[in-house]
Amino acid sequence: MDRRSFLKATAAGAAVLGGARGLAAPALAQGAAARTLRFVPQANLANFDPIWGTQYVVRNASALVWDTLYGLDDKLEPRRQMVESEEQSDGGKTWTFRLRPGLKFHDGEPVLARDVVASLSRWMVRDGMGQMIRAIQDELVAVDDRTFRWRLKQPYPKMLLALGKTNTPMAFIMPERIARTDPFQQITEYVGSGPMRFVRNEWVPGAKAVFARFDQYVPRDEPPSWLAGGKRMLVDRIEWIVMPDPATASAALQNGEVDWWETPLTDLVPSLRRNRNLVVDIADPLGNIGSFRFNHLHPPFNDVRARRAVAMALSQEDYMRAVAGDDTSLWKASASFFTPGTPLYTEAGGEILKGRRDIEGAKRLLREAGYNGQPITVLVAQDQAPLKAMGEVTDALLKSLGMTVDFVATDWGTVGQRRASKAPPGQGGWHIFHTWHAGADCTNPATQIQIRANGDGAWFGWPKDDAVEAARDRWFEATTLEQEKAAVEQMNRELFRHVTYIPTGFYLGFQAWRRNVSGVVKGPIPFFWGVAKG
């Protein structure tokens, strides 16, 4: 029996038997149950610092607990969130921001401008756009309790996008004492500024995380739109129930033990759709781009020939069929680092991923790069179905090239910790890991941390290439759409020349929820505001 048949059979049996894990029905009164939303997240919430790392599961939980100065709406436009007003002066080199009145942290203390200054100062160290601002910063100071001023050495027109974007790390606002934590160390106190409090004493990593409505939160008086508008919570409590086994999650949703499943496995969607009590839909029309990430610090992939060898042999179709199945309406091979169907999409320079795969040519390049059979450490998250599938394809691919594979089957939280290590692969480091990047984050160079090639300042793998960085700078300097397109085409070419990483293809994912739940919207994040349970 193959993997897909096994999962379908297991899910069907579990649904009949009442759930593989036998979750007990919560002992809550009917009214209280209707005010509690039980959600199955994409992965375990193993850590809870949205600045220290870039995992989407941490970002998604953090969007409940911490607020941002601006928020991206469903038109991908930044709108005011915690900010009441902003003003530019000195030819765009000085920004003055004023906070909305009545903002409070979860400990009851007011949100002050000095909290914002400390939060932004920590965020700038770890974020790509933040690093750009930091490089041209003259000063960032609190003027009074509700006003802060950012003075730059040169204009930065994309300031509001930087403060409101969805990609990680987002510029969440924390109390000053917490924001003063070293950005390369995790915070240990979780006092938020957003619509839900983190119930730390009920957090069981690997099992559950709980959020409770913060009664003193003041939403904007506007309709919600993604991270923008009024974040009105219509439930009192949200319980994240970690279920790494897809068949278990499927059974729990069908039996009403949970209300909403963030990432149902594509293979299980037909059985979910047959249940009249469920709604199944595409989670985000902008989809996802799979990622094959190299460590550029250690042999053999510190040599571009070794990276190019893998790209010559890699079949995006193999990866996408493993991730999304045989329905080609759900995926496409895409020789691009940008989101298909968006204005800047290009496949310039992507010939290496097209046509017949050259296994023998790849083997020759590996020999030229000096590969001599050393183990290649591949970190594979078993609790993330897309990453598990990609890891299995990579295992077969590398072996077909004559490479020895050290296949590290682990959980996503451990991958998130280990990928931050620059140690040699045999001493706790790594060569390869897989992830995905939301299509909403790949529409332009500004919001893509993964395409930076600035060495120590780059994302995990720490690639360094001046031509990639120069093409990125050209995009920031562009004043017309045509100039932006030309810069992105050059950047796509340089990224493939350098093989910064390999996009494994574009795919759509699903989400599923019970019919008594309303207000679920499509987007790159599960937006809980406006969601009600009947």
Side-chain angles (χ1 to χ4, degrees):
M1 180 179 288
D2 64 23
R3 179 178 68 92
R4 289 198 164 89
S5 300
F6 174 78
L7 281 170
K8 291 173 183 176
T10 304
V16 171
L17 293 174
R21 277 173 53 173
L23 290 174
L28 297 171
Q30 184 174 355
R35 305 288 290 182
T36 298
L37 186 72
R38 306 193 80 198
F39 175 79
V40 180
Q42 59 178 254
N44 172 36
L45 186 66
N47 72 80
F48 199 30
D49 186 340
I51 306 302
W52 175 83
T54 59
Q55 291 180 310
Y56 282 150
V57 65
V58 178
R59 186 264 324 258
N60 296 351
S62 299
L64 281 169
V65 174
W66 289 284
D67 216 345
T68 52
L69 299 171
Y70 293 80
L72 214 62
D73 65 15
D74 60 6
K75 303 295 189 296
L76 302 179
E77 294 292 335
R79 287 165 44 186
R80 295 169 184 159
Q81 187 52 238
M82 298 178 80
V83 163
E84 180 181 75
S85 64
E86 72 283 327
E87 178 184 334
Q88 289 188 71
S89 58
D90 191 21
K93 291 189 290 186
T94 298
W95 291 79
T96 304
F97 300 88
R98 187 159 178 81
L99 298 174
R100 288 195 290 133
L103 300 177
K104 288 188 177 182
F105 288 116
H106 297 167
D107 59 3
E109 292 296 314
V111 177
L112 303 177
R114 65 172 182 260
D115 300 303
V116 174
V117 168
S119 296
L120 294 177
S121 296
R122 184 170 189 256
W123 163 78
M124 279 190 286
V125 176
R126 300 305 302 264
D127 180 72
M129 296 185 80
Q131 290 168 2
M132 295 182 71
I133 298 170
R134 190 167 182 250
I136 60 172
Q137 176 178 294
D138 196 5
E139 68 170 4
L140 172 60
V141 296
V143 176
D144 58 38
D145 283 351
R146 287 179 52 203
T147 308
F148 65 98
R149 182 176 61 241
W150 218 334
R151 194 167 70 233
L152 309 176
K153 296 181 176 71
Q154 64 189 59
Y156 190 77
K158 293 180 170 60
M159 173 67 79
L160 303 189
L161 175 61
L163 299 178
K165 62 187 178 60
T166 59
N167 70 290
T168 57
M170 287 171 53
F172 290 113
I173 303 305
M174 304 179 179
E176 180 184 26
R177 67 181 185 280
I178 300 174
R180 289 193 178 278
T181 303
D182 184 325
F184 293 94
Q185 301 293 325
Q186 293 186 41
I187 61 173
T188 57
E189 187 181 1
Y190 310 109
V191 177
S193 51
M196 300 291 282
R197 293 183 297 105
F198 184 56
V199 185
R200 185 173 183 172
N201 64 351
E202 295 191 53
W203 182 26
V204 183
K208 185 170 75 169
V210 177
F211 310 86
R213 187 160 63 89
F214 179 49
D215 291 334
Q216 297 180 65
Y217 179 76
V218 181
R220 295 190 72 90
D221 189 20
E222 303 163 4
S225 179
W226 282 17
L227 291 170
K231 298 177 180 178
R232 291 177 175 80
M233 302 308 303
L234 304 181
V235 294
D236 293 332
R237 179 179 168 96
I238 298 173
E239 297 179 358
W240 280 27
I241 310 299
V242 179
M243 293 184 178
D245 176 57
T248 301
S250 174
L253 183 66
Q254 294 191 61
N255 293 323
E257 296 162 356
V258 298
D259 304 303
W260 184 3
W261 185 8
E262 182 183 0
T263 53
L265 198 65
T266 302
D267 294 335
L268 299 179
V269 164
S271 66
L272 296 176
R273 281 181 165 157
R274 286 194 292 270
N275 188 320
R276 66 183 64 186
N277 294 316
L278 304 182
V279 179
V280 183
D281 201 357
I282 295 297
D284 181 5
L286 289 174
N288 307 283
I289 297 175
S291 174
F292 185 119
R293 191 75 181 179
F294 295 105
N295 189 331
H296 290 240
L297 299 183
H298 301 289
F301 299 119
N302 60 341
D303 189 315
V304 68
R305 292 172 295 184
R307 302 194 300 272
R308 181 165 287 273
V310 175
M312 290 168 58
L314 183 147
S315 165
Q316 287 189 318
E317 180 177 346
D318 289 349
Y319 281 88
M320 290 299 95
R321 288 191 185 278
V323 169
D326 295 328
D327 183 351
T328 55
S329 69
L330 297 176
W331 60 267
K332 66 176 290 184
S334 172
S336 182
F337 297 86
F338 298 88
T339 307
T342 57
L344 298 180
Y345 181 74
T346 177
E347 295 191 6
E351 292 77 15
I352 194 169
L353 291 184
K354 300 178 180 181
R356 185 178 178 182
R357 302 293 77 204
D358 187 357
I359 301 296
E360 293 308 312
K363 289 179 178 179
R364 286 194 299 272
L365 267 186
L366 281 175
R367 289 193 295 270
E368 292 175 16
Y371 178 70
N372 58 7
Q374 69 263 40
I376 301 300
T377 301
V378 185
L379 308 182
V380 184
Q382 302 297 291
D383 56 345
Q384 290 268 27
L387 307 188
K388 183 176 185 292
M390 282 192 265
E392 290 168 352
V393 176
T394 292
D395 182 55
L397 169 64
L398 298 181
K399 287 175 179 175
S400 76
L401 298 179
M403 304 186 87
T404 303
V405 180
D406 171 25
F407 190 94
V408 181
T410 186
D411 62 272
W412 184 230
T414 301
V415 173
Q417 297 273 352
R418 187 165 173 178
R419 69 183 182 178
S421 172
K422 294 182 179 180
Q427 301 174 33
W430 56 279
H431 285 104
I432 294 166
F433 76 88
H434 288 290
T435 186
W436 74 84
H437 306 290
D441 296 344
C442 300
T443 58
N444 65 64
T447 53
Q448 293 207 57
I449 55 172
Q450 66 276 11
I451 60 175
R452 293 302 304 272
N454 55 333
D456 285 343
W459 200 52
F460 307 113
W462 308 281
K464 183 169 180 13
D465 188 83
D466 292 342
V468 170
E469 287 293 293
R472 183 176 182 272
D473 290 343
R474 280 186 60 203
W475 181 82
F476 275 94
E477 294 163 359
T479 57
T480 67
L481 180 58
E482 290 308 309
Q483 289 175 350
E484 288 192 18
K485 287 181 176 180
V488 165
E489 285 188 7
Q490 183 62 29
M491 189 169 196
N492 211 65
R493 292 182 192 278
E494 299 296 353
L495 285 163
F496 274 119
R497 174 196 54 77
H498 180 242
V499 198
T500 307
Y501 77 95
I502 304 175
T504 58
F506 171 84
Y507 66 96
L508 298 172
F510 290 95
Q511 59 180 338
W513 62 95
R514 306 274 307 171
R515 285 197 181 276
N516 65 330
V517 174
S518 61
V520 176
V521 301
K522 297 180 180 182
I525 297 175
F527 301 110
F528 292 94
W529 32 91
V531 174
K533 182 179 173 183

